[in-house]
């Protein structure tokens, strides 16, 4: 028997799939000697460029641009690293114990150790394993990423009701998606939402990691990345 | 806001808002 036809995706999820950013490339500087400074310079530059993309992406989340500019800023300042980490994690789902920071920057444990990225590597891998176990799909990833942004628990929100409405609409989109596509597991929405504490914990470790690097002052960082780190 | 001027500027660069 043919499998039952899947219901159409909710409007929000279809929209989030369309506005999902293109692949990003790290383009490590070939003139720099390999090692700690080069690896971190590459990652900081990549993060800075990806932040620009994330800010553009956020504006396409239905309802986000209707928030006040101050609330848009507060959500992004709280959640940017969770979004960066979730992007890395989703790109890494097809790999074995490797992190796909970018299409051209895939790091295994050995490379991570040699380039001083082991702490970050070890911090992010449990999240990859968690989503692998759930076999997270792209529709779920794009929705969860928007939920992470709306649910960033910033203490500086002006219009709490408006942010709540945004959370509710994205939560509903995830529930509808699971209702239509994963009828065999009625707890799947909950299982996905229950990954968010580990995402926050991982992002906090990553922020700490890059903040220490900023304090050491040996790695050049672009202005937007610095600005977001300082907002933390 | 003065401290976060790049984020502010990037958010202000307009694309039409997507309504719920």
């Amino acid at each position: 028997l043919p499998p039952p036809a899947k219901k159409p995706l909710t409007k929000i999820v279809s929209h989030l799939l369309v506005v999902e950013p293109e692949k990003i490339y790290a383009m490590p500087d070939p003139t720099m000697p390999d090692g700690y400074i080069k690896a971190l310079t590459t990652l900081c530059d990549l993060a800075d460029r990806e932040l620009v993309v994330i800010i553009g992406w956020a504006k396409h989340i239905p309802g986000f641009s209707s928030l006040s500019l101050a609330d848009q800023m507060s959500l992004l300042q709280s959640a940017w690293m969770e979004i960066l980490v979730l992007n890395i994690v989703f790109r890494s789902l097809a790999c074995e114990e490797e992190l796909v920071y970018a299409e051209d920057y895939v790091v295994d444990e050995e490379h991570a150790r040699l380039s001083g990225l082991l702490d970050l590597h070890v911090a992010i891998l449990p999240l990859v394993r968690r989503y692998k176990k759930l076999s997270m799909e792209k529709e779920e990833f794009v929705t969860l990423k928007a939920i992470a942004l709306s649910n960033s628990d910033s203490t500086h929100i002006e219009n709490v009701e408006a942010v709540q409405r945004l959370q509710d609409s994205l939560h509903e989109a995830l529930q509808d998606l699971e209702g239509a596509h994963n009828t065999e597991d009625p707890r799947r929405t909950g299982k996905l939402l229950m990954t968010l504490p580990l995402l926050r914990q991982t992002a906090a470790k990553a922020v700490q990691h890059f903040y220490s690097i900023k304090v050491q002052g040996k790695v050049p960082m672009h202005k937007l990345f610095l600005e977001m780190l300082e907002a933390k | 806001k003065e401290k976060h001027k790049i984020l502010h500027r990037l958010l202000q660069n307009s694309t039409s808002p997507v309504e719920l």
Side-chain angles (χ1 to χ4, degrees):
Chain A
L1 282 175
K6 286 185 172 180
K7 284 189 199 164
L9 293 172
T10 74
K11 234 174 138 181
I12 291 183
V13 177
S14 314
H15 182 80
L16 290 174
L17 284 172
V18 171
V19 301
E20 183 56 16
E22 296 289 316
K23 286 174 179 172
I24 195 153
Y25 294 88
M27 302 176 286
D29 181 352
T31 63
M32 276 182 88
D34 285 342
Y36 174 77
I37 301 289
K38 179 175 181 173
L40 285 166
T41 304
T42 304
L43 281 194
C44 291
D45 171 66
L46 177 66
D48 188 78
R49 286 186 284 118
E50 202 167 350
L51 275 170
V52 176
V53 172
I54 286 171
I55 294 164
W57 159 81
K59 291 198 279 191
H60 289 290
I61 297 173
F64 183 83
S65 290
S66 315
L67 300 174
S68 70
L69 195 55
D71 283 348
Q72 294 179 34
M73 289 177 72
S74 297
L75 292 182
L76 280 163
Q77 284 167 340
S78 293
W80 62 274
M81 187 59 98
E82 289 182 41
I83 296 160
L84 276 179
V85 168
L86 202 49
N87 282 342
I88 296 165
V89 166
F90 186 71
R91 288 195 286 264
S92 309
L93 287 182
C95 298
E96 285 297 323
E97 307 288 301
E98 284 175 325
L99 292 181
V100 183
Y101 288 102
E103 290 305 304
D104 59 345
Y105 206 68
V106 182
V107 174
D108 61 13
E109 194 183 310
E110 184 62 13
H111 180 182
R113 182 176 291 112
L114 292 173
S115 37
L117 299 175
L118 195 59
D119 288 352
L120 200 60
H121 193 83
V122 169
I124 298 175
L125 273 182
L127 203 54
V128 179
R129 293 190 197 112
R130 183 88 179 258
Y131 288 118
K132 268 189 182 178
K133 210 170 149 193
L134 280 168
S135 306
M136 180 168 65
E137 291 178 3
K138 188 164 187 185
E139 292 82 356
E140 295 170 327
F141 158 67
V142 295
T143 314
L144 205 58
K145 197 162 60 152
I147 289 176
L149 176 63
S150 71
N151 186 48
S152 69
D153 290 308
S154 165
T155 48
H156 306 291
I157 298 299
E158 289 173 344
N159 189 340
V160 175
E161 291 77 20
V163 173
Q164 183 65 57
R165 279 197 296 277
L166 178 63
Q167 287 171 9
D168 288 347
S169 71
L170 293 165
H171 183 186
E172 195 182 357
L174 185 64
Q175 278 180 319
D176 289 351
L177 174 69
E178 299 309 343
H181 286 247
N182 276 300
T183 40
E184 71 277 9
D185 186 357
R187 294 186 188 85
R188 188 158 175 93
T189 305
K191 283 178 182 165
L192 286 165
L193 293 174
M194 278 189 241
T195 62
L196 293 179
L198 183 60
L199 174 62
R200 183 156 304 169
Q201 203 179 312
T202 309
K205 284 183 190 168
V207 165
Q208 195 57 52
H209 183 83
F210 284 104
Y211 198 80
S212 327
I213 292 158
K214 168 183 134 58
V215 172
Q216 288 165 22
K218 291 178 190 162
V219 175
M221 290 179 175
H222 295 296
K223 282 183 184 164
L224 177 61
F225 186 56
L226 279 174
E227 191 180 287
M228 298 304 265
L229 264 184
E230 278 157 15
K232 282 285 193 186
Chain B
K1 270 179 203 167
E2 205 33 49
K3 277 172 69 184
H4 309 295
K5 48 188 179 190
I6 304 177
L7 174 60
H8 191 262
R9 200 182 63 227
L10 287 172
L11 280 171
Q12 268 191 326
N13 283 352
S14 69
T15 50
S16 50
V18 182
E19 297 300 330
L20 277 178

